Amino acid sequence: MTETHDQAMHYIYQQVLQRLLEHMTQAQRASVQLLVQRLLVIAGGQEHIGNVRVLALHGVDRRSAHLLACLRAAQLSIAIRHATTFHLRVLAARLPTLDDAALALHDRCFSALFLHDDPRVELLRADGGQLGPFGARQACSAEQLSAAGNAWLLFGHLVGGQPDALLGARGYLDMGTSLAQVLGGQAGEQILISAVPLAQRHRLLAWGRRCLRQTGEVAHSLTPHNVLVAGLEQLGKVLADPWQPPVPPMHQPPCGDPHLMTVEDLLRHPDDSGSLDRMLGRLEMQACQAQGPAGLFDPLPLAHLHGLKTQHLEQRTYREGAQAFYQRLRQPSVPWPHGRVLRDEAQARLLAAYGVSEAQLVCQLFTPFDAQGHNLETFVLRCHPGMRVALPYLHRALQGRPCPEPVSQWLVDTSGLQLTQLRALYAGTLGSQARRLFRLLGQRDLWLRPLPASPYGGYLRLQAAK
């Protein structure tokens, strides 16, 4: 029965490969052959290819889908020629969250490539820094979601409420944590596939090294892979409790030293007819659905934060801020999602990813608690005028002095932070090393490009002078 089943599955995989190659252009088929050769060389020959684990970080962009198609074709080609092949692990990720549309897109792609029932393939998803099997069910528990949301909001307060840093540089740390979990404790040769262009990859590595120096790590002694995985994971731990002294990461992480394989040169197919897109179920996708390297960043929540910032801080309309962000994407053919459609959908994604409310997002944009409540009065008058009479009690609560319990509870509910964290922000007790780290993190967007200093974030501006 087992032999009959294996023969039937072998025939099915042959049909999948044939169908996949038929939908590829000649250039794409040549890329598959080059990919096969590279993998066999890294493995040390066909007799060792069965010990190789290949990890692909899968976004919702077109390049990610084409990369996965090439990997699948390479996997099946090797299996048909040599009986054994590498183990493929696919981490479906989208920051800040995998919404229903992204899940459906991934599912169509995985089904077209016949990945779901292949024992040589493992499909994963990441949520709130936690891993789980790919599917509609979120990978993190309610407690883990709450912890992730608390750390995310705290980061926003400490970097001056910069939307681009909150949904930019912070996302790379979440990504590093997920990658470390996937790679940890796995035997055999591990290969991390990257389709990120060379210039962006160098920017990421340089940024990672600079950040690691702020944790006491000798960054030049680390390999690029450790910077990308173990280093970013360590930075994530520092951010979760920034008032604790940073502990340098291990020089030999348990996952060993994965091989970073770059394949951006294999995905340059200007003559692509779109046949592969049709096979992978991508024809319904809009022109603009993801940004950043590997298409891992969702632009909708970031446009939402810019809309809230324009409305509440700059006292213009929400529409102006969100629309200006979309215009910055330099894709004028992309229609701007109008009205409540954008606002409600973006807020739903942030709620699913971090459990945060719109009021908490507005609060962190103002950063009202740092620098002895530098922006507290402005925040209260603009967003919560009914609390104006309680301003003296708000300061007392943040100073750790006796005050009515409802006042303390209002601070916690409005900010999404713990009272101890609010008091630490108010007192400015963050150490100099951690201040430098957050200042560095707060200066990069989702492309790791420099950001202008926020005129509203008092903490970093005032503390930098100390």
Side-chain angles (χ1 to χ4, degrees):
M1 182 67 179
T2 301
E3 183 177 351
T4 303
H5 177 267
D6 290 343
Q7 289 177 349
M9 294 306 297
H10 182 74
Y11 175 76
I12 290 174
Y13 292 135
Q14 282 184 316
Q15 298 303 307
V16 172
L17 176 61
Q18 180 179 351
R19 179 170 178 263
L20 182 55
L21 293 176
E22 287 175 352
H23 282 83
M24 289 182 171
T25 64
Q26 183 177 359
Q28 289 170 332
R29 290 192 290 269
S31 294
V32 172
Q33 295 305 313
L34 289 173
L35 184 58
V36 168
Q37 294 174 16
R38 291 185 187 181
L39 290 169
L40 290 174
V41 169
I42 293 174
Q46 64 187 50
E47 63 274 13
H48 301 294
I49 192 65
N51 298 323
V52 172
R53 293 176 178 269
V54 175
L55 171 61
L57 191 60
H58 188 61
V60 298
D61 66 322
R62 191 166 180 254
R63 285 169 60 86
S64 291
H66 286 195
L67 171 60
L68 187 59
C70 288
L71 282 171
R72 182 58 165 166
Q75 184 187 42
L76 296 178
S77 296
I78 294 173
I80 290 172
R81 295 177 190 175
H82 308 298
T84 60
T85 189
F86 60 86
H87 185 85
L88 177 60
R89 313 181 81 192
V90 183
L91 175 58
R94 190 188 195 195
L95 302 171
T97 184
L98 281 169
D99 63 309
D100 291 342
L103 286 170
L105 177 67
H106 289 325
D107 191 64
R108 290 197 300 270
C109 181
F110 296 161
S111 297
L113 298 175
F114 211 80
L115 299 178
H116 285 291
D117 299 316
D118 192 335
R120 300 163 299 188
V121 178
E122 185 177 7
L123 303 177
L124 302 166
R125 65 174 286 178
D127 298 291
Q130 303 298 320
L131 286 179
F134 176 80
R137 186 174 182 178
Q138 197 170 48
C140 60
S141 65
E143 294 77 12
Q144 291 167 334
L145 180 65
S146 177
N150 178 271
W152 190 73
L153 287 171
L154 180 60
F155 178 86
H157 282 270
L158 287 169
V159 297
Q162 291 266 41
D164 292 281
L166 188 63
L167 287 173
R170 183 70 175 86
Y172 288 96
L173 305 181
D174 294 337
M175 194 190 313
T177 299
S178 299
L179 287 173
Q181 292 182 47
V182 178
L183 295 170
Q186 297 294 327
E189 179 74 36
Q190 297 195 77
I191 301 175
L192 176 61
I193 295 287
S194 173
V196 178
L198 181 63
Q200 296 175 19
R201 195 165 64 249
H202 282 176
R203 186 183 297 126
L204 173 60
L205 293 176
W207 171 81
R209 291 177 187 276
R210 290 184 63 195
C211 292
L212 281 177
R213 292 191 185 101
Q214 306 306 323
T215 67
E217 180 56 67
V218 183
H220 66 268
S221 67
L222 299 176
T223 67
H225 324 109
N226 290 333
V227 170
L228 183 64
V229 179
L232 295 184
E233 180 190 25
Q234 175 64 16
L235 289 175
K237 293 177 180 178
V238 171
L239 298 184
D241 193 356
W243 283 276
Q244 293 295 323
V247 179
M250 298 291 293
H251 286 277
Q252 295 180 344
C255 61
D257 191 13
H259 186 96
L260 180 63
M261 180 176 172
T262 59
V263 293
E264 70 269 17
D265 58 314
L266 300 183
L267 299 177
R268 298 170 183 169
H269 304 126
D271 59 337
D272 182 20
S273 64
S275 177
L276 186 59
D277 286 328
R278 287 192 292 273
M279 176 191 170
L280 299 177
R282 295 190 54 83
L283 289 185
E284 299 176 3
M285 290 300 295
Q286 294 181 359
C288 175
Q289 69 279 359
Q291 294 291 312
L296 296 172
F297 290 83
D298 183 354
L300 193 62
L302 187 51
H304 177 52
L305 284 182
H306 277 284
L308 293 176
K309 181 179 179 181
T310 302
Q311 177 184 348
H312 294 282
L313 274 71
E314 301 173 10
Q315 297 187 298
R316 295 185 287 127
T317 66
Y318 175 93
R319 177 190 175 92
E320 286 181 89
Q323 193 169 19
F325 171 77
Y326 270 89
Q327 291 173 348
R328 282 168 46 196
L329 297 182
R330 298 178 181 177
Q331 297 187 34
S333 62
V334 178
W336 177 75
H338 290 284
R340 299 298 306 185
V341 175
L342 181 148
R343 192 164 189 163
D344 293 345
E345 176 64 22
Q347 184 57 47
R349 293 185 192 180
L350 290 172
L351 180 64
Y354 300 109
V356 298
S357 66
E358 185 172 299
Q360 291 168 349
L361 293 176
V362 174
C363 179
Q364 67 86 28
L365 288 172
F366 274 90
T367 61
F369 309 113
D370 52 49
Q372 290 76 49
H374 181 73
N375 293 330
L376 183 57
E377 184 176 359
T378 302
F379 168 65
V380 169
L381 293 178
R382 290 189 187 178
C383 304
H384 303 276
M387 290 294 293
R388 179 179 181 179
V389 295
L391 267 172
Y393 292 105
L394 293 177
H395 282 280
R396 288 175 65 90
L398 293 168
Q399 293 165 358
R401 298 161 62 191
C403 71
E405 177 61 27
V407 173
S408 299
Q409 190 60 47
W410 182 86
L411 286 169
V412 171
D413 293 340
T414 303
S415 67
L417 302 180
Q418 302 167 11
L419 194 56
T420 53
Q421 294 173 325
L422 294 172
R423 289 170 176 169
L425 286 171
Y426 188 89
T429 57
L430 199 63
S432 59
Q433 191 176 50
R435 286 202 303 270
R436 290 194 298 270
L437 173 60
F438 277 96
R439 192 159 59 244
L440 181 60
L441 290 170
Q443 293 173 350
R444 292 293 185 271
D445 64 4
L446 61 87
W447 293 99
L448 295 181
R449 296 172 301 198
L451 288 170
S454 171
Y456 302 98
Y459 185 87
L460 292 178
R461 186 180 67 251
L462 296 180
Q463 292 296 322
K466 294 185 177 181

